[in-house]
Amino acid sequence: MAVTRTFSIIKPDATRRNLTGAVTKMLEEAGLRVVASKRIQMSREQAEGFYAVHKERPFFGELVDFMISGPVVVQVLEGENAMQANRDIMGATNPKDADAGTIRGELAESIEANTVHGSDSDENAAIEIAYFFDDAEIVG
Ligand code: CMP
């Protein structure tokens, strides 16, 4: 297996509950290394662009409103097959379906306030990393 990078967002429900460290600890214990991290307030335009793939979905407006409702922490994670490792520790999108021991299983409030976002493919990881980070900000 190769060492790769993926993209993560610690969402506003987690920053509101002061869970940035708790989430990061679970990522690190899953073998992922945080090689870039910044706390930002996303603009509406930034959130709409990031989630453009979902713009026809009925929940798009609520998703964007939620993602700009407070600060988020955007991160680049590195590790063996980082995309899959991150998805495994995140758990299912809906916390009702997420296994115990996963971030969403332990910490998420709802399908919308589900604590973390993670890229769903290596291709999307590269796109999502570039959306928020310059190469110089990523230090492995
Ligand atoms: P995320 O991985 O950030 O990608 C898109 C997000 O849309 C997803 O996590 C969920 O938080 C959110 N989402 C997916 N399905 C629904 C839904 N039915 N209602 C509200 N939000 C949803």
Side-chain angles (χ1 to χ4, degrees):
M1 262 194 302
V3 172
T4 57
R5 288 176 175 172
T6 194
F7 176 73
S8 170
I9 304 177
I10 302 177
K11 294 188 179 187
D13 65 285
T15 60
R16 175 170 46 77
R17 289 178 289 154
N18 205 21
L19 294 174
T20 298
V23 171
T24 302
K25 183 167 190 277
M26 292 176 80
L27 296 171
E28 291 178 342
E29 286 176 352
L32 293 158
R33 180 178 296 272
V34 179
V35 294
S37 184
K38 57 188 173 188
R39 182 176 170 106
I40 61 169
Q41 172 64 53
M42 263 200 248
S43 68
R44 180 169 295 279
E45 294 66 32
Q46 212 173 7
E48 286 175 348
F50 181 76
Y51 280 121
V53 66
H54 295 304
K55 68 175 183 298
E56 305 304 331
R57 304 271 197 116
F59 58 81
F60 180 70
E62 286 174 15
L63 173 61
V64 169
D65 286 347
F66 171 66
M67 291 301 288
I68 65 173
S69 68
V72 300
V73 179
V74 290
Q75 296 178 319
V76 181
L77 308 176
E78 189 175 83
E80 295 277 343
N81 198 0
M83 183 279 292
Q84 193 58 53
N86 185 39
R87 293 186 74 75
D88 290 348
I89 190 59
M90 281 197 303
T93 303
N94 188 339
K96 291 191 179 120
D97 303 325
D99 290 338
T102 64
I103 293 169
R104 287 164 170 164
E106 298 299 325
L107 302 175
E109 296 181 317
S110 67
I111 193 168
E112 179 177 85
N114 67 350
T115 309
V116 279
H117 163 83
S119 306
D120 63 3
S121 68
D122 287 340
E123 293 71 27
N124 284 337
I127 293 166
E128 293 177 354
I129 289 169
Y131 196 80
F132 288 102
F133 290 97
D134 295 330
D135 283 348
E137 294 178 293
I138 305 168
V139 183

